[in-house]
Amino acid sequence: GDEVLYLNTLRHRSESALVLTEPLARQEALAARVLATDYRPGEVVEAIDYRGARVLGLGLPVPGVEWHLVAKIDHDEVFSQARIGVLWIALASLMTWLVAVAFAGLALQRRELHHAQRQSEAQAEKLRALQLLEAFAQSSNDLIFAQDRAGRYTLFNPAAERATGKSAAEVLGRDETAVFPLELAQPLIADNRRVLQEGCLLTREEKLPMAEGEKTYLTTKGPLRDAEGQIIGMFGICHDITARAASEAALRQSHAELERFNRAMIGRELDMIALKRRINALSIELGRAPPFDLSRIDAAQAGQEGQGP
């Protein structure tokens, strides 16, 4: 009729022989699939068994009777080995991927380490240069300073501290007004801004009031640039030329005094010559011989007149 009768005792259900039935209307059931009119004997189909479990099965008619032999195997049982194989393949793929990632990470780390070493070497070189500059600035007798683009001091060496009477702690982070009065600081700030804006080098003499009195400095100012050539600040070096300036002023004064003395002596000599000429003229008028011989002076004057201008 419309039911399937199980003839044997089933593995998962006891006392089922000749008792357990299943309706053919349950189309997803394995028995219904292999007894369907469109089923080709021996074809493997996927269906549901009497437990409701997924199975793979096939059916064959038994010759000479109207019975069918149906064989099945659980879906999980079929694919358990495949799952294990897939799992091993997945694990092997994962291990391969992990090894590849590890090698890639190792290569990246080596590259980063090499880059870090190069950076470290470059930083060490810069540090040595900065230490050299620091040692130079600390030991120099010249006033050495640096400012950022905002005009704030970033370097103020010991010579500058001694000359100005200002400590670096008082000056760093501030502008020229921390060192000099406003009326004197303003032209200095203007020079600094010109260096920062134009990137030029300025050298000039400056008279500045210092802790020990007024000093004369030969000051050079120039731009500070970064690795890309951008101006990040300025530097200044002030060399004390007070003694030289005083010597030059004394020499100029001596030259001026000598010039005045020479002019006075020449004028006096000319007056004496004129007086001698007058006395000679009076002597001739009186019929006497001139007392002064001015022939050499007359010859010299005649020679000069003959040469012309």
Side-chain angles (χ1 to χ4, degrees):
D2 58 356
E3 291 184 342
V4 175
L5 177 65
Y6 288 87
L7 301 180
N8 62 308
T9 299
L10 302 174
R11 183 172 62 171
H12 299 288
R13 183 173 295 185
S14 61
E15 299 178 358
S16 58
L18 300 176
V19 176
L20 182 62
T21 61
E22 192 172 44
L24 288 175
R26 187 186 174 196
Q27 296 181 358
E28 69 274 13
L30 177 60
R33 293 288 302 275
V34 300
L35 292 176
T37 56
D38 59 349
Y39 176 72
R40 292 180 297 179
E43 179 184 6
V44 177
V45 295
E46 186 174 354
I48 303 297
D49 70 354
Y50 60 91
R51 298 167 299 161
R54 294 176 60 197
V55 297
L56 293 175
L58 58 82
L60 290 172
V62 179
V65 296
E66 295 183 357
W67 292 0
H68 287 74
L69 177 66
V70 178
K72 73 174 180 67
I73 185 171
D74 288 354
H75 189 279
D76 291 340
E77 187 177 354
V78 171
F79 291 101
S80 61
Q81 293 299 323
R83 288 194 183 97
I84 294 175
V86 170
L87 180 60
W88 279 110
I89 292 173
L91 288 175
S93 300
L94 179 61
M95 290 298 297
T96 302
W97 180 79
L98 290 176
V99 170
V101 170
F103 275 110
L106 181 61
L108 179 61
Q109 288 180 352
R110 291 183 63 183
R111 186 167 64 250
E112 290 179 349
L113 179 61
H114 181 64
H115 180 65
Q117 288 176 340
R118 292 180 61 185
Q119 284 187 328
S120 178
E121 292 173 358
Q123 290 174 353
E125 185 66 26
K126 290 180 180 179
L127 181 60
R128 286 193 292 270
L130 290 174
Q131 289 173 341
L132 180 61
L133 290 175
E134 179 70 14
F136 171 74
Q138 293 294 321
S139 60
S140 176
N141 291 325
D142 291 337
L143 283 61
I144 300 176
F145 63 90
Q147 294 181 349
D148 59 18
R149 286 193 62 86
R152 296 171 299 209
Y153 282 102
T154 57
L155 173 66
F156 203 71
N157 76 332
E161 292 180 299
R162 292 191 298 270
T164 61
K166 304 284 186 178
S167 67
E170 296 177 87
V171 173
L172 295 180
R174 302 176 62 187
D175 62 11
E176 302 278 1
T177 56
V179 181
F180 302 108
L182 180 61
E183 63 275 7
L184 181 59
Q186 286 178 338
L188 299 177
I189 292 174
D191 284 347
N192 298 346
R193 287 176 179 170
R194 180 184 172 190
V195 171
L196 291 171
Q197 292 172 359
E198 301 179 9
C200 60
L201 195 69
L202 292 180
T203 300
R204 63 179 57 183
E205 288 188 14
E206 296 176 331
K207 289 186 178 181
L208 301 173
M210 294 299 182
E212 297 180 354
E214 187 177 80
K215 298 284 186 178
T216 302
Y217 292 96
L218 182 64
T219 300
T220 298
K221 296 179 180 180
L224 291 173
R225 302 179 184 271
D226 60 14
E228 287 73 31
Q230 299 297 319
I231 296 177
I232 58 173
M234 58 149 292
F235 71 88
I237 301 175
C238 302
H239 181 63
D240 188 353
I241 59 170
T242 304
R244 190 185 79 183
S247 299
E248 291 176 351
L251 183 60
R252 287 193 296 270
Q253 184 177 1
S254 297
H255 285 170
E257 291 177 355
L258 182 60
E259 184 70 19
R260 288 195 299 270
F261 177 76
N262 286 339
R263 286 197 297 269
M265 291 301 295
I266 292 173
R268 181 180 177 185
E269 185 67 22
L270 291 176
D271 290 341
M272 290 296 296
I273 292 173
L275 180 59
K276 289 179 180 181
R277 288 186 185 282
R278 185 175 179 184
I279 292 173
N280 283 350
L282 290 174
S283 297
I284 291 173
E285 289 179 0
L286 296 174
R288 298 178 182 178
F292 300 105
D293 184 6
L294 302 177
S295 58
R296 293 182 180 180
I297 295 175
D298 293 338
Q301 289 179 347
Q304 292 177 352
E305 291 175 356
Q307 291 177 358

